[in-house]
Amino acid sequence: MTDEQRTAPFYTVPPHHIASVEHPAIIRNVDKAIDTLEGNAGISKIINSSRADTRANLNLRPEDVMSRPLQSTNSQTNNVLLKVTVPRRTGRRRKRGTEEPFTEMHLPSENDGCPRLSARDLRRSLEDNVGRYQVEPVGMVNRTHVFRGMPDFVWSTSSSEFTNRFRDQILSFDYEKMKQFDINMSKGAISNVDIIPPPSYSHGDIPFNYFYRQNPTVKQSLDKTGQPTTINTSSATKIATHLVPYDIPTVPQAAHPGCPPIPTLEPVLQETISVLESLFSTRPAWTRRGLRNSLTKLEQRHALKHAVPYVGYIFRSGPWRDAIVKHGHDPRSSPDYRIYQTAMFRLLPRDPEVARDGGGSANFNTTNTDTYTTGTTGGHGGVKSNRRHTHTRYSDVAAINPFANPSSRTTLSSDNTFTTTTPVPAETTHIFTGTPPLPHDGRMWMFCDIADPLLRNFLFPPNPSDPTNPPPGFLRETCEPVTDGWYGTGTMAKAKAIMRAKILALTENRATDDEAEFGRILAFPDHVDEENLNEEVLQFSCEGEGVGSREMQMATDIRAAIRGAVSWRAVVSRPGGVDGKGGNEVGEGGKKVQWEDEGEGDEGSEGEEVEMQDQEGEDEDENQDGDDAEDQDQDEDDEMDEGS
């Protein structure tokens, strides 16, 4: 084939190795574009790099030496750089396809700058000069640098005195200026503090798509003023429960004013309130678990949290913490109410898999066929975890379906609505017997619900001379409302230590020897003299032969509990109290204050009812802002604190 028969000419590519940089900006000034690539030094680094993966640095604010550069992606290419020359335009033009005379037009001069031609203009220029433009290879493009990442955020430091001095004296790399740099080492600056920004804000330069979408339960609506707003159709209903502190002067006498009238409530809720009133006629205080176990219908158990505000109030702290007390009854008024004091414990799991759900022992699948079933099933037969107060919901119980459970009774009411009544077996998980299995639906027990013989004889010792009253000197003359109630500090510390040891033994599937393990503990005094506390706590020690490690550990825990109770009472009784308002333990904003080294006993500062209130508030926020919010436990309340 001869040269005349070739359809395209051959060109010799010069042996020049070229690096291509795809600048993300529109280049109008070449010198400024070079400055963004760190000037001649940066260009030389790109071209003459000894490593193939060397990256180019792009600084969108080259005048600020403290701004973070954007690094390129260096990829190997096999391209050719061509130089295409087209005839220069004369400046005259006429309409294509006509014989009209040419007209003069203004051409940009050198002073006007080089305008950027679009791809359409370049293609039109080549089409108008077919056969008259020249092509010349310049060299091979072996490397191409592209910038696909996101630049970092920039904080303006123009008003920062320290940053300006650092930029002028240190980053100038002038030794004489560096010697002038000094740092103010004085302490206690609280106003006009110069905060230095971090060297970088964003940890990644690749954009991430979060796939935000609206919660399907959040709907648009109009408020009272007619302005558009959003409402959460699945938000939890506010329950106006009296949640009072231990030192409230007068206990609530009736339901909260925010509670709807009873005749306007649903029939199931009215029936539940009637059942609770009959239960409170037998005793003035209950635990939530005790009330739930006393209800014989599943619908009533689900309505319990809405019915409690109509019958009683709840102590959020103190000896009757989390106890639901009948309206108008003050357990601090008589020592007869000592039997309704409560004890709460942390049930630490042994199995890490169970720890996430709040379970207890690793072997908790024991069944008591006479009373209840613990383990991986809730108290009603639904497969649930062992979280506190986690019970089967309506969607999880086959008994709700009248066709699936023969024991369910469905009737048609006068308003053409079906009413399903689902009986459930009675449970006794609120009673502490000291024998397995250990119930996992709560961590708090009331003293009158303790059936363990050792603890019951210890908390309620017999008095042969007067069976209706305890032995002389066993109780306090006046109620101590912060930690101990009507019992002595030693009595409460011993009772909690022994009960905690029994709970741990149940979680470890072992039996306790009451005489061998707790005989020396029961001999400790019931009261302590707080004026001589350091000497008094020495009486709570186990020494001598035959003392085991568990007894010594229990004695240590008792001494710590006594010191903690005395210290906490001193904190809340001093002028100003905890929150500076005369001894009220509820801090600013209604939140409870817990000191690091002082606390109300060794079992935590907040009870189940307060945790349920906080958890329900957090869950409500998640339901309003999140995408796939989970349903909350049926037995958790959103209480309203009115005792701050």
Side-chain angles (χ1 to χ4, degrees):
M1 183 180 294
T2 62
D3 294 342
E4 290 79 4
Q5 294 176 336
R6 291 197 177 106
T7 58
F10 276 86
Y11 295 94
T12 302
V13 180
H16 299 308
H17 297 285
I18 303 173
S20 174
V21 178
E22 296 184 6
H23 204 289
I26 298 177
I27 305 301
R28 299 186 182 275
N29 189 313
V30 178
D31 294 336
K32 291 184 177 181
I34 294 177
D35 291 340
T36 59
L37 296 173
E38 297 182 344
N40 294 330
I43 298 296
S44 176
K45 178 182 177 182
I46 296 174
I47 298 176
N48 302 321
S49 175
S50 59
R51 298 180 56 184
D53 57 348
T54 301
R55 297 187 176 186
N57 293 328
L58 175 65
N59 198 332
L60 299 178
R61 302 179 71 250
E63 68 278 1
D64 187 3
V65 295
M66 301 186 69
S67 62
R68 182 184 175 188
L70 182 64
Q71 291 189 332
S72 67
T73 300
N74 186 359
S75 59
Q76 183 177 1
T77 56
N78 190 23
N79 301 330
V80 179
L81 178 63
L82 295 180
K83 177 183 179 182
V84 182
T85 305
V86 297
R88 183 178 179 83
R89 301 175 64 181
T90 62
R92 299 187 304 166
R93 63 182 305 179
R94 69 179 179 183
K95 189 175 181 180
R96 183 185 299 274
T98 64
E99 298 297 333
E100 296 178 1
F102 289 94
T103 58
E104 300 290 337
M105 64 173 296
H106 173 71
L107 289 178
S109 61
E110 296 181 357
N111 297 330
D112 296 337
C114 181
R116 178 181 176 88
L117 298 179
S118 64
R120 180 179 180 182
D121 295 335
L122 294 175
R123 181 180 178 182
R124 176 67 179 275
S125 178
L126 293 177
E127 291 177 350
D128 293 343
N129 297 276
V130 177
R132 290 185 294 173
Y133 57 82
Q134 298 177 359
V135 178
E136 178 186 355
V138 179
M140 292 289 299
V141 181
N142 305 109
R143 291 285 172 181
T144 299
H145 295 266
V146 296
F147 298 92
R148 296 292 185 264
M150 298 185 303
D152 196 7
F153 301 96
V154 179
W155 179 276
S156 177
T157 58
S158 58
S159 59
S160 175
E161 179 184 357
F162 174 83
T163 306
N164 291 331
R165 289 193 301 108
F166 186 84
R167 183 186 295 107
D168 297 337
Q169 297 177 359
I170 299 298
L171 297 182
S172 62
F173 299 104
D174 187 345
Y175 179 69
E176 295 299 330
K177 292 184 178 181
M178 287 183 177
K179 292 193 299 182
Q180 300 175 4
F181 183 77
D182 190 18
I183 299 178
N184 185 10
M185 303 299 292
S186 60
K187 300 180 180 179
I190 57 176
S191 61
N192 298 327
V193 180
D194 195 357
I195 301 178
I196 305 173
S200 63
Y201 288 94
S202 178
H203 297 285
D205 56 358
I206 300 177
F208 180 79
N209 192 350
Y210 286 91
F211 293 101
Y212 287 115
R213 62 183 185 272
Q214 181 61 52
N215 186 353
T217 62
V218 176
K219 307 296 182 181
Q220 291 186 351
S221 179
L222 298 177
D223 57 10
K224 297 180 180 179
T225 62
Q227 298 296 327
T229 182
T230 58
I231 58 174
N232 186 3
T233 58
S234 64
S235 60
T237 304
K238 293 291 184 180
I239 303 176
T241 303
H242 290 289
L243 194 62
V244 302
Y246 68 90
D247 58 349
I248 186 172
T250 304
V251 298
Q253 304 296 316
H256 196 279
C259 295
I262 295 180
T264 62
L265 302 177
E266 297 179 356
V268 174
L269 185 54
Q270 296 184 29
E271 181 185 4
T272 305
I273 295 175
S274 177
V275 174
L276 293 184
E277 290 176 348
S278 62
L279 291 175
F280 275 95
S281 64
T282 60
R283 50 187 273 192
W286 287 81
T287 61
R288 183 177 296 269
R289 208 166 25 151
L291 292 176
R292 186 181 63 245
N293 293 341
S294 301
L295 299 176
T296 58
K297 298 179 182 179
L298 184 60
E299 293 78 13
Q300 295 177 356
R301 294 187 177 183
H302 285 288
L304 175 60
K305 64 178 181 180
H306 300 280
V308 166
Y310 292 90
V311 294
Y313 65 95
I314 301 173
F315 276 102
R316 64 174 297 163
S317 57
W320 291 270
R321 178 174 55 179
D322 286 354
I324 303 176
V325 185
K326 186 177 180 181
H327 287 143
H329 285 72
D330 189 352
R332 303 167 298 180
S333 60
S334 172
D336 295 338
Y337 293 114
R338 70 186 185 280
I339 63 176
Y340 304 114
Q341 293 184 208
T342 60
M344 182 178 298
F345 304 91
R346 291 193 184 99
L347 304 182
L348 300 180
R350 298 174 56 195
D351 192 344
E353 294 297 327
V354 183
R356 298 175 302 178
D357 296 330
S361 172
N363 301 318
F364 49 84
N365 291 324
T366 307
T367 302
N368 188 335
T369 56
D370 295 333
T371 55
Y372 58 91
T373 302
T374 61
T376 57
T377 60
H380 313 312
V383 178
K384 302 301 294 180
S385 65
N386 280 279
R387 294 182 60 184
R388 177 179 56 86
H389 290 308
T390 300
H391 292 280
T392 51
R393 303 176 176 88
Y394 278 100
S395 59
D396 298 332
V397 182
I400 296 302
N401 185 356
F403 302 99
N405 190 346
S407 62
S408 299
R409 296 185 299 273
T410 302
T411 58
L412 181 63
S413 60
S414 59
D415 55 352
N416 292 330
T417 59
F418 284 96
T419 302
T420 301
T421 302
T422 307
V424 290
E427 298 180 357
T428 57
T429 57
H430 63 288
I431 298 178
F432 183 80
T433 61
T435 58
L438 176 68
H440 295 276
D441 59 346
R443 58 176 183 172
M444 185 261 291
W445 285 269
M446 194 169 280
F447 285 178
C448 62
D449 293 331
I450 296 177
D452 180 78
L454 176 67
L455 290 172
R456 192 167 187 84
N457 293 332
F458 170 66
L459 292 173
F460 310 110
N463 186 4
S465 59
D466 187 2
T468 59
N469 294 318
F474 178 71
L475 299 178
R476 293 175 178 264
E477 296 181 358
T478 59
C479 178
E480 194 287 301
V482 181
T483 58
D484 299 333
W486 291 100
Y487 288 97
T489 304
T491 303
M492 290 297 297
K494 291 187 295 181
K496 289 183 178 181
I498 295 175
M499 192 170 181
R500 186 188 307 110
K502 286 180 171 290
I503 292 174
L504 292 177
L506 293 177
T507 59
E508 296 174 357
N509 296 324
R510 62 177 179 86
T512 58
D513 187 348
D514 293 348
E515 182 63 28
E517 296 186 25
F518 311 126
R520 297 181 178 86
I521 301 299
L522 294 174
F524 289 163
D526 294 327
H527 301 273
V528 295
D529 184 6
E530 298 183 10
E531 300 296 333
N532 301 317
L533 182 61
N534 293 331
E535 298 179 0
E536 290 288 322
V537 294
L538 297 179
Q539 305 178 46
F540 298 85
S541 301
C542 292
E543 299 178 353
E545 297 181 358
V547 177
S549 59
R550 289 179 180 171
E551 291 179 286
M552 297 182 63
Q553 182 62 43
M554 289 182 59
T556 303
D557 295 340
I558 291 174
R559 292 194 298 271
I562 293 174
R563 292 182 182 274
V566 174
S567 300
W568 183 248
R569 289 197 291 267
V571 169
V572 299
S573 63
R574 64 190 179 188
V578 176
D579 63 346
K581 296 182 181 180
N584 194 340
E585 68 165 348
V586 182
E588 183 179 357
K591 296 296 183 182
K592 190 166 182 178
V593 180
Q594 174 68 51
W595 296 86
E596 181 178 0
D597 56 346
E598 298 172 343
E600 184 188 345
D602 56 350
E603 299 298 342
S605 62
E606 291 187 348
E608 292 179 339
E609 301 293 340
V610 180
E611 287 186 0
M612 288 159 58
Q613 175 195 17
D614 297 338
Q615 181 67 27
E616 187 102 357
E618 295 175 0
D619 296 335
E620 181 180 355
D621 295 339
E622 293 177 0
N623 284 337
Q624 185 171 359
D625 300 333
D627 299 332
D628 300 319
E630 298 180 354
D631 294 335
Q632 301 306 314
D633 293 343
Q634 291 293 333
D635 289 328
E636 293 190 356
D637 291 356
D638 194 343
E639 312 287 4
M640 297 178 61
D641 184 8
E642 60 97 57
S644 300

